[in-house]
Amino acid sequence: MILDNYLKLKVIKMDFWLKDCKIVPENIEVSIKIENGKIISLKKIAPRRAEIINMKGSVILPGLIDSHVHLRDPGLTYKEDFRSGTRAAAIGGFTTIIDMPNTIPPTNTPHAFLEKLKIAGKKSLIDFGFHAGLGKLADINKINKFKPASFKIYMDLIDTNFLDEIFSVLSKMSDIKPLISLHCEDKDIVTNNTNKEREKKKIKPEFYANARPPLAETTAVSNALSLAQKYGLTIHICHVSVKESVELINNAKKSNIKVTSEITPHHLLLNLNYLKKCGNFAKTNPPLRDNENKIELSYLSNIDIIGTDHAPHTITEKEKNMWDAPPGIPNLETTLPLLLTEINRHNINFADLKRLICENPSKIFHLENKGFIKEGMDADIVMVDMKKEGIINPDDFKSKAKFSPFKGFKVRGMPIMTMVRGEVVMEEGDVFKNKGKFVYS
Ligand code: DOR
Ligand code: ZN
């Protein structure tokens, strides 16, 4: 047990200090006063008589924010639910998640949004927000009042004409203009290529990547950027997978188009060979890319956030044939260990990590009290052990999805304690009860 005096604190629920925390990348030690779930002050030394949790010089990070998860609740809870999904999140050092709308029913009506609020309010162990889907255009204004993090559009599922209409409606909304998150793959290119690939007699994993080629992504990214410019709206491009998309987005930024970009751990750390090697366990949309197109770690400085796109499915579903198995990879428990490992290898640094998965998600999705360790913020804190080693083993996942293309990866650096608004929700792999809260209330 790391926090030898934590349980006592939990019983009496006093305000307390986290003593001797190492702040990175500055490498300074501070003690943090926490009162009613908020960070009250940061001092060099904790007062002698205070209630203390001794962090013994461990590295701490702001609680991680995952703005792209699929917790499948309601409707698909055999794959995941708010309890299992947020357990996995707490293990992975996440203190806030933003859930995607492709549940059953989809989160695209005021009623569905309120139902999801109730469910997450009961089951979520960490703080949460929701992206809304698009249903009837008349519902958009009503849903916007409930404060979705964004409206999510799957460009692989809708026609370009309809897209223009949606942007037009969103741009005319009376109050705050909503953010639009986009899955960028062009519907026509994906449909045509998929039909062509499916005609082949054999099935090879790489055919799936051919069915959704880089051009499908870059065409959709270009269209999305044009619409953002035409209607003056802010867009967030989810899971970029090819270098050219990053270049398109960064050029658009130079022309003052309001756009941000996201990458997943799998698009960053895996290539097409993993689709060949792991089959459907590495099947995801957009697909993994060959080295020529893939985004290298050195490109991270051009990207705004890391989102896990935690997309759980059952093994039985993944064992279907390549065309029928659902796409998606569960990542909540692998992302931070994988990134800490890259820090230990000097491929990325702590400043990047904090920017990509704490600070920028907070700024982009307007999470006022999250993402930073400073006075006035929620006491969302992760303690990491940079020397702790392990091997990724999906059998140990708290997520219901017990598979991963990262299976067998050796990691060095792991989260060992997760605190949400001053409450310890995870300590050395044990998860405790906690009541997560809607971040936009
Ligand atoms: O791989 C994916 N899985 N990409 C998506 O866009 C959806 C997701 C899912 O919900 O399973
Ligand atoms: Zn997704």
Side-chain angles (χ1 to χ4, degrees):
M1 171 127 173
I2 335 158
L3 309 177
D4 32 42
N5 51 1
Y6 173 69
L7 288 179
K8 188 180 90 195
L9 282 171
K10 191 151 174 93
V11 175
I12 47 182
K13 278 224 168 161
M14 289 189 65
D15 304 332
F16 58 94
W17 287 75
L18 292 181
K19 183 173 175 273
D20 298 343
C21 309
K22 189 191 276 182
I23 302 275
V24 285
E26 296 83 356
N27 269 334
I28 46 169
E29 274 195 18
V30 297
S31 291
I32 302 173
K33 185 178 187 193
I34 294 172
E35 217 175 278
N36 299 324
K38 293 266 180 202
I39 296 173
I40 296 298
S41 66
L42 279 79
K43 295 249 162 69
K44 231 179 151 46
I45 297 168
R48 243 197 275 147
R49 286 227 234 123
E51 290 290 349
I52 275 167
I53 294 181
N54 193 346
M55 305 290 269
K56 302 168 190 161
S58 295
V59 169
I60 61 159
L61 300 168
L64 271 60
I65 299 167
D66 192 351
S67 58
H68 191 151
V69 301
H70 299 264
L71 297 194
R72 311 292 191 208
D73 203 350
L76 296 162
T77 52
Y78 68 94
K79 293 180 196 257
E80 196 78 292
D81 62 37
F82 269 100
R83 182 56 56 85
S84 60
T86 56
R87 237 185 237 142
I91 290 281
F94 290 91
T95 52
T96 303
I97 46 103
I98 307 183
D99 190 50
M100 284 294 169
N102 58 339
T103 42
I104 300 177
T107 323
N108 64 2
T109 62
H111 180 73
F113 197 97
L114 292 177
E115 281 303 301
K116 198 180 259 194
L117 260 181
K118 268 194 227 158
I119 296 166
K122 273 192 208 132
K123 295 193 200 170
S124 187
L125 304 173
I126 66 170
D127 289 349
F128 55 86
F130 309 136
H131 297 284
L134 287 154
K136 285 194 212 126
L137 295 181
D139 275 341
I140 295 178
N141 243 321
K142 290 184 204 152
I143 297 180
N144 204 32
K145 293 201 174 28
F146 299 132
K147 301 195 185 153
S150 79
F151 283 91
K152 172 82 183 276
I153 300 175
Y154 290 86
M155 290 174 79
D156 53 339
L157 303 179
I158 65 168
D159 292 326
T160 315
N161 294 346
F162 187 44
L163 199 62
D164 193 293
E165 195 181 336
I166 291 167
F167 269 70
S168 165
V169 170
L170 291 171
S171 70
K172 288 186 194 117
M173 285 181 44
S174 48
D175 40 17
I176 312 157
K177 302 262 177 287
L179 174 66
I180 305 173
S181 294
L182 293 134
H183 177 123
C184 285
E185 288 187 286
D186 183 81
K187 189 185 170 201
D188 290 341
I189 298 178
V190 168
T191 311
N192 293 338
N193 282 44
T194 304
N195 291 341
K196 232 192 282 162
E197 293 296 317
R198 288 193 76 146
E199 274 170 19
K200 293 183 180 167
K201 287 216 178 69
K202 269 180 109 183
I203 293 187
K204 283 191 181 171
E206 56 270 35
F207 294 172
Y208 191 74
N210 299 341
R212 311 176 79 98
L215 184 68
E217 179 171 307
T218 52
T219 304
V221 168
S222 299
N223 281 339
L225 293 169
S226 303
L227 287 169
Q229 184 169 40
K230 178 173 172 190
Y231 291 105
L233 288 168
T234 307
I235 60 171
H236 174 71
I237 308 231
C238 297
H239 42 53
V240 287
S241 68
V242 297
K243 264 184 238 168
E244 201 186 326
S245 300
V246 182
E247 282 150 18
L248 288 168
I249 293 167
N250 286 350
N251 285 336
K253 284 180 180 171
K254 285 183 202 141
S255 322
N256 292 326
I257 296 175
K258 291 174 278 177
V259 56
T260 48
S261 57
E262 168 195 294
I263 190 163
T264 67
H266 44 275
H267 290 112
L268 187 65
L269 299 172
L270 305 178
N271 61 15
L272 185 59
N273 291 336
Y274 283 86
L275 184 56
K276 297 178 189 164
K277 184 175 143 210
C278 308
N280 294 335
F281 292 147
K283 175 180 171 179
T284 180
N285 292 347
L288 297 177
R289 304 299 185 186
D290 59 18
N291 286 344
E292 202 185 309
N293 288 290
K294 131 174 228 312
I295 296 163
E296 299 298 333
L297 273 164
S298 57
Y299 250 63
L300 265 187
S301 55
N302 299 305
I303 293 174
D304 294 296
I305 70 171
I306 291 176
T308 72
D309 199 1
H310 178 81
H313 299 286
T314 65
I315 301 263
T316 316
E317 289 170 325
K318 282 291 196 182
E319 281 171 349
K320 291 184 182 170
N321 81 68
M322 184 187 73
W323 295 114
D324 295 338
I329 295 171
N331 270 329
L332 281 167
E333 288 156 273
T334 56
T335 301
L336 185 52
L338 289 166
L339 294 174
L340 295 175
T341 305
E342 295 304 333
I343 291 179
N344 271 324
R345 290 178 182 153
H346 305 289
N347 288 333
I348 56 172
N349 57 45
F350 277 120
D352 282 330
L353 179 80
K354 284 165 71 172
R355 177 178 66 80
L356 288 157
I357 206 155
C358 309
E359 298 165 4
N360 279 347
S362 163
K363 289 183 198 161
I364 293 167
F365 295 103
H366 306 289
L367 306 168
E368 275 169 24
N369 303 313
K370 312 253 176 222
F372 297 84
I373 296 178
K374 51 182 196 200
E375 280 174 28
M377 290 278 154
D378 286 349
D380 293 348
I381 289 167
V382 189
M383 178 182 186
V384 304
D385 180 344
M386 289 305 289
K387 293 196 180 124
K388 189 170 175 181
E389 298 188 348
I391 295 176
I392 290 179
N393 178 4
D395 294 338
D396 296 339
F397 285 176
K398 301 274 180 194
S399 165
K400 291 184 187 179
K402 314 266 186 228
F403 68 89
S404 172
F406 294 110
K407 180 177 176 174
F409 273 46
K410 288 194 181 126
V411 290
R412 181 174 163 85
M414 288 186 177
I416 49 171
M417 190 275 284
T418 308
M419 175 176 277
V420 179
R421 284 179 288 106
E423 295 281 341
V424 173
V425 293
M426 186 280 283
E427 188 191 340
E428 283 203 296
D430 289 329
V431 179
F432 307 111
K433 263 199 206 150
N434 187 51
K435 207 167 164 46
K437 167 175 132 183
F438 185 54
V439 279
Y440 300 108
S441 54

